[in-house]
Amino acid sequence: MKRCITSALGVAGLLALFGHAALAQATATDPSAVANAYVNAPHNWQMWFPTAGSPMMAKIDWLMKFVLWIMTGVVGFVALLLAYVFIRFRAGRNKVPSTVTHNTLIEVIWIVVPTLLLAVIVIPSINLIYYEADTANPYMTINVTGHQWYWEYSYPGVAGGLDYTSYMIPDNQIQPGEIRRLSVDHPMVVPAGKKIKFVISSADVLHSFYLPSLGMQRYAIPGTNLTQWTIIPKVGTYYGQCNQICGVGHDAMPIEIKAVPLADYLNWVKYAQANYQ
Amino acid sequence: MTATTHDHSDHSHEAHHQKGFVERWLMSTNHKDIGTLYITMAVIGACVGGVLSIIMRQQLMYPHNDIITSGAAWNAIITAHGLIMIFWFVMPALIGGFGNWFVPMMIGAPDMAFPRLNNMSFWFLAAGFVFVMIGLLLGNGAGAGWTLYPPLDNAQYSPGMATDFSLFSLHLAGISSLLGAINFIATILNMRAPGMTMHKMPLFCWAILVTAFLLLLAIPVLAGAITMLIMDRNFGTSFFEPSGGGDPVLFQHLFWFFGHPEVYIMILPAFGIISHVVSTFSRKPIFGYLGMAYAMVVIGFVGFIVWAHHMFVSAISTDSKVYFEVATLVIAVPTGIKIFSWIATMWGGSIEFKTPMLWAIGFIFLFVIGGATGVVLANAGLDQELHNDYFLIAHFHYVLSMGAAFAVFAGFYYWIGKMTGHPYPEFWGKVHFWTFFVGVNLTFFPMHFLGLAGMPRRYPDYADAFAGWNYVSSIGSIISGVSTLVFFYVLYAVFTSKESLADNYWGEGATTLEWAVPSPAPHHTFEDVPVIR
């Protein structure tokens, strides 16, 4: 990590010193390294969602808490009823069982109240569905293609074209600052704060493009294009993994996305065109 | 519901018991013997599936573990675990096992409507088990997951016979279930004792009836999908091949059109058993009987129109997501009726906490937790984050590994005396319950956290950040494994017991017809037709 931050500082320093002429220099070092300053990765004993890396994830996090509080209430209520019944109506304390087998009012209540609870859940939930589907007016589009067992990223809007593959770094080649099973050789790099649309497909079997910290997931299906979108406000590195069984390398095709300032993104495009393809 | 006349008529049984082993067990037409065969199949299936799950948990105990080093072996194990637990443990235990044993007795019928069909149905299932084991062990094994999604299991990506064996094993299990379903429907609709109207029929029979209709409608769809898959693999068709104009998404629709009802096929018989156990040990008739029966009918019906909630991140339109989400949430209402009716049955009762009741109470509480996470997952917007990760694994093991399996054990402890004539050891039954309760909760509750943190399913190796909860989960699986050894001791104790039991050893709370016949139930019950008041 430290090494990467130093190099990012180095790039900035060079830019400051030599101005425009230094751009050529800058492309020799990876301009996306600026995203190493903030890493959004899972941590041990984690008990909740990742820190929201996108507005979509923030909405998912909110709805999850909303639904889970309601459901915790339901489970807690049932647990209380059970506990009361066990204490009050155990054979030792209640020797003669009642013979009541019907009570229309209570039967109506336990149909109506759950229905109302579901109605309360459904309204924000349906809003979220449409929000997640709104891929209109993106700043740029990236085509994502799943392969056995790597991802291919293609930037159709980039002058000169950019299409490269992204492989997991094998366990025995992990460098300090990299995360085993999550870091890749060529991450996807996007401009921070811009709406990115992903067009997701597959070249062979099913895969799933899954970014938990961004709240994104779509299957990669051969012969079909599915779309997703994100905005990543904070410069940093975000991780995901393939989430649909795709053969023996299913656990070895992670996703790494680096969100960088627009200027760094433009530099990175040149760098990637020179080094990734 | 009491039989006014019933005759224990033991006179003709000696002849049946003199049958040789081969004739009695391989050519059986007796519903109790076939039920016993099914239960034996379920015990074998549970052992194989359980050992596979312990192997998986051992591998996942530490990141970068080396128990399973080949991805192909891993995928074959996860696939076989899923298929075996569903088709060769839960279904034969609940439907073929307890269903065969107790549906005819509860409705006052002498046997199933089609005894030879019943025998054939069992042996198709046994043959299917051989096939699924070949699928696990042959070559690289069948490794597309129990959902069998193409293109991963087409001829290009899963070459070799193993996948064909697994697919055919589902055909065999499917035919078995279909024949069984036809048998149950014919038996329940036609062979009820005089006076036993549909609305007097015990809830377990209702549960099996609804389940049988689900099987009748769902299995042919699975059979069609699998046939197309086998054709794609072996005969050059392209139903699911995009390059030939097919679509893998079609398979997902067909599979889940079967697969979602399949979930209720596994849990409805469990609902039936729990109703009997709760009523018996509360010494009260079931609360809201009609609501309970029709809640199952509604669950069965709605279960058919929610299948695409398994495909929220696959290729379905946004508006379809809204529909499938709302339809799925609706199921929570009839399920709530069942939960609250069980509690209302206990309310005012005189509750005895015998082992079957402990399993039933455990079922109710854990099923509510699994149901609550089900409501979470039904939200398409949230499923986008949780689909296929460990939160989902936790959810469906709470309803299956704890729901359905707890009901299997509740039924076992409830009826083992009626089936063998010997009591189970109460102390060891309770030890089994508590160790299993702790074990499965320790195994599956941490999976919620892993899922929230974003750990995908079907991974033999994972990022180091997931190590903590995986370790806890693996410890839980060891406890469940030890608990299962306690269960085998219970089985041993039952079969070596010299004690015998009264007809109705649970007392006045147990009111259905199987308690009106001796323990063990004679080879042929109701040689004279019982009349129901």
Side-chain angles (χ1 to χ4, degrees):
Chain A
M1 179 73 65
K2 201 171 256 177
R3 178 195 60 167
C4 301
I5 294 170
T6 322
S7 65
L9 288 174
V11 173
L14 279 173
L15 281 168
L17 279 174
F18 300 107
H20 188 73
L23 273 176
Q25 281 278 335
T27 53
T29 331
D30 185 350
S32 72
V34 62
N36 295 341
Y38 168 70
V39 175
N40 189 324
H43 58 85
N44 209 5
W45 304 109
Q46 185 173 332
M47 292 173 74
W48 189 248
F49 282 147
T51 311
S54 68
M56 189 188 287
M57 187 57 209
K59 281 179 186 286
I60 289 174
D61 195 303
W62 180 87
L63 184 66
M64 183 72 174
K65 283 181 181 132
F66 180 73
V67 176
L68 216 49
W69 275 118
I70 293 176
M71 294 325 292
T72 307
V74 172
V75 174
F77 177 64
V78 171
L80 279 178
L81 284 180
L82 285 173
Y84 178 76
V85 162
F86 299 157
I87 295 164
R88 175 66 185 79
F89 299 111
R90 63 178 198 273
R93 184 156 165 197
N94 196 40
K95 290 197 167 35
V96 183
S98 99
T99 50
V100 177
T101 56
H102 290 286
N103 183 324
T104 309
L105 177 65
I106 197 134
E107 290 180 65
V108 170
I109 288 175
W110 69 46
I111 291 173
V112 171
V113 172
T115 308
L116 292 177
L117 282 180
L118 293 177
V120 170
I121 291 173
V122 150
I123 294 161
S125 179
I126 290 178
N127 276 332
L128 182 61
I129 295 176
Y130 285 104
Y131 176 82
E132 287 174 349
D134 180 17
T135 52
N137 305 318
Y139 174 77
M140 60 183 278
T141 297
I142 299 174
N143 295 331
V144 174
T145 308
H147 295 262
Q148 283 181 320
W149 291 278
Y150 59 94
W151 294 97
E152 178 188 354
Y153 304 132
S154 146
Y155 291 63
V158 166
L162 177 58
D163 187 329
Y164 62 94
T165 57
S166 176
Y167 282 85
M168 183 183 84
I169 296 181
D171 288 2
N172 56 9
Q173 291 167 29
I174 286 287
Q175 303 289 320
E178 293 171 345
I179 304 174
R180 194 184 73 86
R181 293 270 141 185
L182 288 178
S183 291
V184 300
D185 57 352
H186 300 152
M188 174 191 285
V189 176
V190 300
K194 301 286 186 191
K195 182 169 182 175
I196 318 290
K197 177 180 172 182
F198 301 95
V199 179
I200 301 155
S201 188
S202 170
D204 40 47
V205 300
L206 300 182
H207 303 273
S208 187
F209 187 69
Y210 175 45
L211 272 299
S213 55
L214 303 178
M216 278 203 297
Q217 177 164 214
R218 280 296 176 274
Y219 279 4
I221 303 173
T224 300
N225 288 332
L226 298 183
T227 55
Q228 265 283 264
W229 66 276
T230 194
I231 296 170
I232 310 178
K234 185 168 179 176
V235 170
T237 307
Y238 302 82
Y239 292 97
Q241 288 170 286
C242 176
N243 199 14
Q244 175 61 42
I245 187 168
C246 57
V248 302
H250 171 46
D251 62 348
M253 47 182 296
I255 301 150
E256 183 175 350
I257 297 186
K258 287 179 184 293
V260 301
L262 187 57
D264 294 297
Y265 165 73
L266 294 172
N267 286 333
W268 169 83
V269 168
K270 295 194 190 80
Y271 171 84
Q273 282 170 331
N275 295 293
Y276 281 9
Q277 301 196 84
Chain B
M1 235 165 292
T2 320
T4 46
T5 61
H6 64 264
D7 187 342
H8 292 176
S9 52
D10 281 284
H11 43 270
S12 63
H13 299 145
E14 287 312 307
H16 298 290
H17 288 289
Q18 281 160 7
K19 278 182 181 171
F21 179 86
V22 170
E23 200 184 345
R24 176 164 182 197
W25 294 108
L26 302 190
M27 306 174 193
S28 181
T29 52
N30 179 288
H31 72 103
K32 299 188 191 75
D33 283 352
I34 294 173
T36 304
L37 288 171
Y38 267 110
I39 292 173
T40 311
M41 178 81 257
V43 171
I44 295 170
C47 288
V48 175
V51 166
L52 293 177
S53 71
I54 288 177
I55 293 173
M56 290 189 285
R57 280 309 336 159
Q58 285 300 302
Q59 163 68 14
L60 292 173
M61 197 161 185
Y62 304 101
H64 200 41
N65 210 351
D66 55 3
I67 290 168
I68 307 289
T69 48
S70 128
W74 176 262
N75 290 347
I77 289 172
I78 60 149
T79 304
H81 168 74
L83 292 176
I84 289 172
M85 284 302 203
I86 293 166
F87 290 95
W88 287 277
F89 164 45
V90 174
M91 288 172 69
L94 291 175
I95 307 169
F98 295 139
N100 254 312
W101 255 97
F102 293 105
V103 164
M105 275 203 258
M106 283 179 174
I107 63 173
D111 203 305
M112 296 287 282
F114 309 117
R116 285 182 199 287
L117 195 72
N118 204 9
N119 187 32
M120 183 161 136
S121 156
F122 172 76
W123 287 105
F124 267 117
L125 188 71
F129 186 70
V130 174
F131 272 44
V132 81
M133 288 308 287
I134 295 174
L136 168 65
L137 300 169
L138 182 73
N140 278 333
W146 86 275
T147 51
L148 305 164
Y149 282 179
L152 184 57
D153 64 356
N154 70 16
Q156 185 183 355
Y157 300 107
S158 294
M161 296 280 282
T163 302
D164 294 300
F165 272 105
S166 283
L167 293 174
F168 274 111
S169 81
L170 287 191
H171 262 320
L172 292 171
I175 294 168
S176 159
S177 301
L178 209 50
L179 300 182
I182 291 166
N183 215 343
F184 278 119
I185 292 171
T187 307
I188 292 172
L189 293 187
N190 296 307
M191 293 176 66
R192 280 170 288 120
M196 181 169 287
T197 58
M198 289 298 278
H199 285 174
K200 280 185 179 173
M201 193 167 72
L203 284 172
F204 181 64
C205 303
W206 267 104
I208 292 288
L209 181 67
V210 177
T211 303
F213 273 105
L214 296 189
L215 283 166
L216 193 72
L217 297 171
I219 293 285
V221 179
L222 174 72
I226 286 178
T227 304
M228 286 188 250
L229 212 46
I230 291 169
M231 300 275 280
D232 275 9
R233 285 178 58 82
N234 299 294
F235 304 113
T237 57
S238 53
F239 292 106
F240 309 126
E241 300 293 331
S243 58
D247 189 352
V249 181
L250 171 64
F251 181 85
Q252 296 171 24
H253 279 289
L254 294 175
F255 181 85
W256 287 113
F257 190 84
F258 146 80
H260 199 76
E262 173 68 22
V263 175
Y264 298 108
I265 286 164
M266 287 188 277
I267 209 65
L268 286 177
F271 285 171
I273 292 173
I274 299 303
S275 294
H276 287 240
V277 173
V278 165
S279 162
T280 296
F281 293 95
S282 306
R283 289 205 284 145
K284 261 185 77 191
I286 198 79
F287 185 94
Y289 166 84
L290 280 182
M292 289 292 257
Y294 284 99
M296 289 193 283
V297 174
V298 171
I299 290 172
F301 175 76
V302 182
F304 269 105
I305 51 175
V306 298
W307 75 92
H309 67 214
H310 297 270
M311 301 165 60
F312 279 150
V313 301
S314 184
I316 62 167
S317 74
T318 310
D319 293 339
S320 315
K321 285 181 201 179
V322 173
Y323 160 72
F324 280 107
E325 163 176 326
V326 175
T328 304
L329 288 172
V330 164
I331 296 180
V333 175
T335 312
I337 293 177
K338 302 220 58 105
I339 301 284
F340 291 121
S341 296
W342 285 320
I343 296 175
T345 304
M346 290 187 258
W347 197 278
S350 183
I351 305 172
E352 275 191 286
F353 294 96
K354 292 272 175 57
T355 306
M357 187 61 168
L358 291 182
W359 289 101
I361 292 163
F363 170 94
I364 294 171
F365 182 60
L366 299 172
F367 190 80
V368 168
I369 295 179
T373 53
V375 169
V376 171
L377 286 162
N379 290 273
L382 298 178
D383 190 60
Q384 175 160 322
E385 176 76 8
L386 299 168
H387 178 92
N388 261 2
D389 76 7
Y390 265 77
F391 192 87
L392 171 82
I393 307 296
H395 158 70
F396 75 69
H397 282 97
Y398 260 80
V399 289
L400 290 180
S401 180
M402 289 132 132
F406 272 48
V408 169
F409 286 125
F412 169 83
Y413 285 101
Y414 185 58
W415 282 317
I416 189 66
K418 181 57 65 182
M419 295 191 281
T420 63
H422 302 299
Y424 63 86
E426 188 67 42
F427 173 77
W428 289 106
K430 285 181 171 159
V431 169
H432 176 212
F433 169 77
W434 284 110
T435 47
F436 199 74
F437 186 86
V438 170
V440 289
N441 276 294
L442 206 57
T443 309
F444 295 112
F445 204 81
M447 289 187 184
H448 291 113
F449 304 137
L450 288 170
L452 290 166
M455 178 166 163
R457 71 194 286 198
R458 295 164 168 168
Y459 269 33
D461 188 10
Y462 49 83
D464 305 348
F466 302 125
W469 292 122
N470 267 301
Y471 181 79
V472 174
S473 177
S474 294
I475 297 290
S477 84
I478 294 169
I479 296 174
S480 318
V482 172
S483 173
T484 308
L485 298 180
V486 176
F487 172 68
F488 279 110
Y489 172 73
V490 169
L491 264 187
Y492 169 81
V494 167
F495 282 105
T496 53
S497 167
K498 298 276 182 280
E499 265 182 85
S500 49
L501 286 166
D503 292 9
N504 186 353
Y505 51 87
W506 294 128
E508 58 178 292
T511 55
T512 39
L513 272 182
E514 79 269 31
W515 305 110
V517 302
S519 307
H523 207 59
H524 288 285
T525 32
F526 309 121
E527 292 188 344
D528 297 301
V529 175
V531 176
I532 315 300
R533 259 184 287 155

